[in-house]
Amino acid sequence: MLTEDQKSLFDVNGCLTVELMLELIGDGFRFDTLKGTIMTRGTEGFRLHGGDSADGGPRRVRALPWTGTSERRTVFARHSPGALMFRPIAPPAGYEDFADELTPLQRPVFEPPYHLNRPKVSQLLAEELRGGALDSDGVT
């Protein structure tokens, strides 16, 4: 079972995350991985990687050492196109413990990668914004 704080990481009720992922990745996106960092004052920077630079090579972004007086906590939530996979096909760890708590809009985001007949997140979002009740396949 997820705590309220853990649920809020995947909360799509505000719909901003869903709208951003639809814009950036396209319909049928899915949750891929969730990682975090904690930095205290003086913690050395690290390198973030990903994407392609203009010349086609990998891009690395240097993070500077943390100089703030408080802890810096960052959560990296990676989402992927529905048919693309960055990790082995398996639901997230502990998925069975919270699967029944997911809304119809959240369920397809946790499905493993595949292409054919993937639920349309845009349709599920539109239904949720209209306040319609959806079944697990995104049908009202």
Side-chain angles (χ1 to χ4, degrees):
M1 182 170 220
L2 292 177
T3 67
E4 290 305 312
D5 287 340
Q6 290 168 324
K7 284 182 191 177
S8 71
L9 292 172
F10 306 108
D11 182 21
V12 292
N13 293 331
C15 299
L16 179 60
T17 300
V18 174
E19 291 169 353
L20 288 172
M21 293 302 106
L22 285 169
E23 180 72 25
L24 295 170
I25 300 173
D27 213 346
F29 73 89
R30 55 179 280 282
F31 172 76
D32 195 305
T33 57
L34 185 69
K35 299 183 182 204
T37 64
I38 298 175
M39 299 175 77
T40 57
R41 187 180 190 126
T43 301
E44 292 187 22
F46 53 91
R47 294 189 184 271
L48 299 173
H49 62 87
D52 290 324
S53 64
D55 62 2
R59 177 180 57 205
R60 293 183 180 238
V61 179
R62 175 100 170 108
L64 299 174
W66 181 242
T67 59
T69 57
S70 61
E71 246 183 11
R72 177 184 188 188
R73 296 177 180 208
T74 307
V75 174
F76 299 95
R78 181 165 60 184
H79 294 76
S80 301
L84 187 63
M85 175 180 67
F86 289 118
R87 61 177 171 78
I89 297 174
Y95 177 76
E96 298 79 20
D97 297 335
F98 66 87
D100 61 334
E101 298 176 38
L102 296 174
T103 68
L105 180 56
Q106 293 168 329
R107 281 185 205 113
V109 176
F110 283 96
E111 290 187 7
Y114 64 91
H115 179 67
L116 295 175
N117 300 318
R118 191 165 186 90
K120 296 285 187 190
V121 176
S122 59
Q123 291 173 353
L124 294 167
L125 174 62
E127 279 299 318
E128 183 158 307
L129 291 173
R130 283 195 297 268
L134 302 168
D135 67 16
S136 61
D137 295 324
V139 179
T140 54

